[in-house]
């Protein structure tokens, strides 16, 4: 009955058009009434304490870093360097999109921001060269979802807070799976685009490559600074977010000269609006998470999955299928916040490494950004590329299947996550 009240109140509130954060509060009130423990003061206290988290301070600063990176010309220089290196090969702009997505993912951590920047710069170039627009949009969309997996990842910050898992360990554990996602896109692009009759750009001379490399070195130094600083213990993920924002602002203003004083206020407002939505979602979700624990909903779900508890692979497969289904209807952050308190007790009971589960969970939720009808990243590409959703869905399908194949590979071979994680974390 409790599970029915939880799902019924949540889905019902969403069905009548309530924002997800408000629906989560309605769900919390419904659970309190069902458990005969309704108290407005307790509800307010849990709402405030849900957002009162130092690690969550990383979210607005990573958002700001992404905005300043795009306004200050860092994104443009990363793409220019990739074009000079491999833009001349057949299908070269597709490989440029993947490489640029990997590098930009290691700076901002926001799939929407990275996808918008990639689409705005690369889509006109690819269209002019004769590439099929639907395929290009699909590739850029699939490249954009690497951002929540490679550090710094806003998804890992939110999951780490909700699950009580080390954010630094999650960051470092996400590096190799993110690279695998990029490799899968490179292979898929090679297979489907090798016969396209497109115009090739001229091979850049060594002098031109050196010039773009020197021009882009400040942008490329940022991910090294962030990951290296956390690996060395110089700063926490929250401090790394502040470093990233300050660095992106200083480089864009003083070195590249593209970031103007009048650009800072819009960038801060954009980061503030997105961060406020995320913080309210987290606060509302942690109210529901507290009541989910009180109502023992994880216990009920565990009893349903009881036959699989002793088989970690089948259990992971079942949980990932659940996340895929939920991800088609919910956006990234709400899915993380709703399912984390339900699944984490089962993960601990089964003896699954919480860091490994966290990486898998975020990879899966990132893939959800490509699945209609929600498909946030698809909507971004549609808007930037001025293309219909049905064409983008058709173009993204090969790349979506490639990312799902990576997810399946990591389920059946967990060592691909755990061994690199131990290497990067040093234990």
């Amino acid at each position: 009955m409790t599970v029915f009240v939880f799902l019924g109140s949540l889905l019902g509130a969403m069905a009548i058009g309530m924002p997800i954060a408000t629906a989560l509060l309605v769900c919390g009130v419904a659970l309190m009434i069902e458990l005969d423990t309704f108290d407005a003061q307790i509800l307010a206290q849990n709402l405030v304490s849900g957002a009162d988290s130092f690690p969550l301070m990383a979210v607005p600063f990573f958002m700001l870093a992404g905005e300043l990176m795009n306004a200050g010309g860092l994104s443009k220089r990363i793409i220019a360097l990739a074009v000079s290196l491999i833009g001349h090969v057949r299908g070269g702009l597709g490989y440029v999109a993947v490489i640029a997505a990997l590098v930009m993912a290691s700076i901002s951590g926001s799939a929407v921001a990275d996808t918008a920047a990639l689409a705005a710069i690369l889509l006109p170039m690819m269209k002019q060269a004769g590439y099929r627009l639907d395929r290009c949009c699909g590739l850029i969309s699939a490249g954009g979802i690497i951002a929540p997996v490679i550090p710094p990842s806003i998804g890992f910050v939110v999951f780490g807070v909700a699950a009580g898992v080390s954010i630094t360990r999650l960051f470092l554990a996400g590096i190799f799976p993110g690279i695998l996602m990029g490799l899968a896109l490179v292979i898929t692009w090679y297979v489907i685009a090798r016969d396209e009759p497109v115009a090739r750009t001229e091979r850049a001379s060594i002098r031109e490559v050196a010039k773009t490399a020197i021009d882009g070195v400040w942008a490329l130094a940022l991910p090294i600074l962030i990951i290296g600083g956390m690996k060395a213990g110089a700063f926490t993920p929250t401090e790394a977010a502040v470093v990233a924002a300050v660095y992106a602002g200083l480089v864009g203003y003083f070195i590249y000269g593209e970031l103007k004083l009048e650009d800072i206020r819009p960038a801060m407002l954009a980061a503030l609006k997105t961060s406020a939505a995320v913080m309210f979602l987290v606060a509302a979700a942690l109210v529901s998470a507290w009541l989910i624990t009180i109502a023992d909903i994880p216990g009920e779900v565990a009893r349903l999955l009881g036959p699989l508890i002793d088989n970690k692979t089948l259990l992971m497969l079942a949980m990932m299928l659940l996340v895929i289904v939920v991800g088609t209807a919910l956006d990234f952050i709400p899915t993380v916040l709703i399912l984390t308190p339900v699944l984490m007790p089962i993960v601990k009971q089964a003896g699954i490494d919480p860091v490994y589960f966290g990486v898998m969970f975020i990879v899966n939720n990132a893939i959800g950004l490509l699945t209609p009808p929600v498909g946030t990243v698809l909507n971004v590409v549609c808007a930037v590329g001025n293309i219909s959703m049905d064409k983008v869905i058709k173009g993204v399908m090969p790349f979506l299947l490639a990312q799902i194949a990576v997810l399946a590979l990591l389920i059946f071979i967990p060592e691909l996550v755990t061994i690199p994680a131990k290497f990067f974390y040093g234990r």
Side-chain angles (χ1 to χ4, degrees):
M1 183 62 184
T2 309
V3 175
F4 175 77
V5 171
F6 169 67
L7 292 175
S9 59
L10 179 63
L11 297 177
M14 291 169 57
I16 62 175
M18 281 190 180
I20 293 175
T22 309
L24 286 167
L25 288 177
V26 169
C27 174
V29 171
L31 283 173
M32 291 183 84
I33 294 172
E34 167 66 18
L35 298 171
D36 196 24
T37 58
F38 179 77
D39 188 323
Q41 185 175 352
I42 294 176
L43 188 71
Q45 287 175 343
N46 278 278
L47 183 64
V48 172
S49 63
D52 185 16
S53 171
F54 180 72
L56 281 178
M57 288 297 295
V59 174
F61 284 106
F62 278 134
M63 293 283 188
L64 180 59
E67 295 291 339
L68 294 175
M69 179 184 74
N70 292 336
L74 280 75
S75 303
K76 182 169 64 176
R77 283 164 175 81
I78 291 169
I79 293 173
L81 176 58
V83 169
S84 69
L85 288 171
I86 58 171
H88 60 279
V89 303
R90 179 171 293 278
L93 290 178
Y95 303 123
V96 167
V98 178
I99 293 172
L102 285 167
V103 177
M104 291 169 61
S106 63
I107 297 175
S108 75
S110 170
V112 172
D114 285 6
T115 304
L118 286 169
I121 297 172
L122 282 177
L123 279 181
M125 296 171 61
M126 299 177 89
K127 187 176 181 180
Q128 184 178 3
Y131 290 84
R132 277 181 49 180
L133 189 57
D134 58 341
R135 284 181 177 174
C136 298
C137 290
L139 177 65
I140 290 172
S141 300
I145 69 164
I146 299 175
V149 181
I150 288 183
S153 162
I154 294 169
F156 281 143
V157 173
V158 174
F159 173 80
V161 170
V165 178
S166 167
I167 296 173
T168 302
R169 293 191 66 185
L170 288 167
F171 273 10
L172 298 176
I175 296 174
F176 189 68
I179 293 172
L180 281 181
M181 293 172 72
L183 182 61
L185 294 182
V186 167
I187 294 172
T188 307
W189 179 255
Y190 173 78
V191 171
I192 71 172
R194 57 185 174 179
D195 296 328
E196 280 201 9
V198 296
R200 303 190 192 187
T201 60
E202 291 186 12
R203 181 190 292 269
S205 66
I206 295 177
R207 184 175 181 178
E208 290 171 331
V209 172
K211 183 180 178 181
T212 56
I214 293 171
D215 195 31
V217 70
W218 291 99
L220 296 173
L222 182 51
I224 298 172
L225 176 65
I226 294 172
I227 297 172
M230 289 190 298
K231 178 76 168 64
F235 37 71
T236 66
T238 304
E239 293 164 344
V242 177
V243 170
V246 172
Y247 182 94
L250 292 176
V251 170
Y253 185 79
F254 289 106
I255 297 176
Y256 292 151
E258 294 191 20
L259 182 65
K260 309 300 180 184
L261 288 177
E262 56 267 25
D263 296 329
I264 296 177
R265 186 174 181 271
M268 294 183 71
L269 283 175
L272 181 63
K273 289 177 182 178
T274 308
S275 302
V278 172
M279 298 289 274
F280 186 35
L281 269 171
V282 172
L286 291 183
V287 172
S288 296
W290 174 69
L291 289 162
I292 285 169
T293 304
I294 298 296
D296 195 32
I297 290 177
E300 295 188 32
V301 175
R303 283 187 284 276
L304 292 174
L305 297 175
L308 305 178
I309 289 291
D310 294 329
N311 190 319
K312 295 180 182 180
T313 301
L314 289 180
L315 179 62
M316 281 295 299
L317 185 60
M319 290 191 292
M320 291 300 105
L321 288 173
L322 171 65
V323 175
I324 286 177
V325 172
V326 173
T328 61
L330 289 180
D331 204 355
F332 184 95
I333 297 295
T335 306
V336 172
L337 293 170
I338 291 170
L339 291 184
T340 296
V342 174
L343 297 179
M344 275 306 293
I346 302 169
V347 169
K348 293 176 181 177
Q349 182 182 344
I352 297 173
D353 182 356
V355 173
Y356 165 68
F357 172 76
V359 172
M360 298 297 295
F361 190 44
I362 294 302
V363 169
N364 201 335
N365 278 286
I367 291 173
L369 294 170
L370 295 179
T371 54
V374 177
T376 308
V377 165
L378 299 182
N379 285 296
V380 171
V381 172
C382 286
V384 175
N386 193 25
I387 183 174
S388 63
M389 177 63 80
D390 58 328
K391 291 183 178 179
V392 174
I393 292 173
K394 179 182 178 182
V396 82
M397 284 308 298
F399 307 107
L400 174 61
L401 293 175
Q403 302 293 38
I404 292 175
V406 171
L407 180 69
L409 183 68
L410 297 177
I411 291 174
F412 290 102
I413 311 178
E415 292 80 10
L416 292 175
V417 176
T418 55
I419 292 176
K422 291 176 181 177
F423 170 78
F424 285 119
Y425 195 64
R427 60 175 79 167

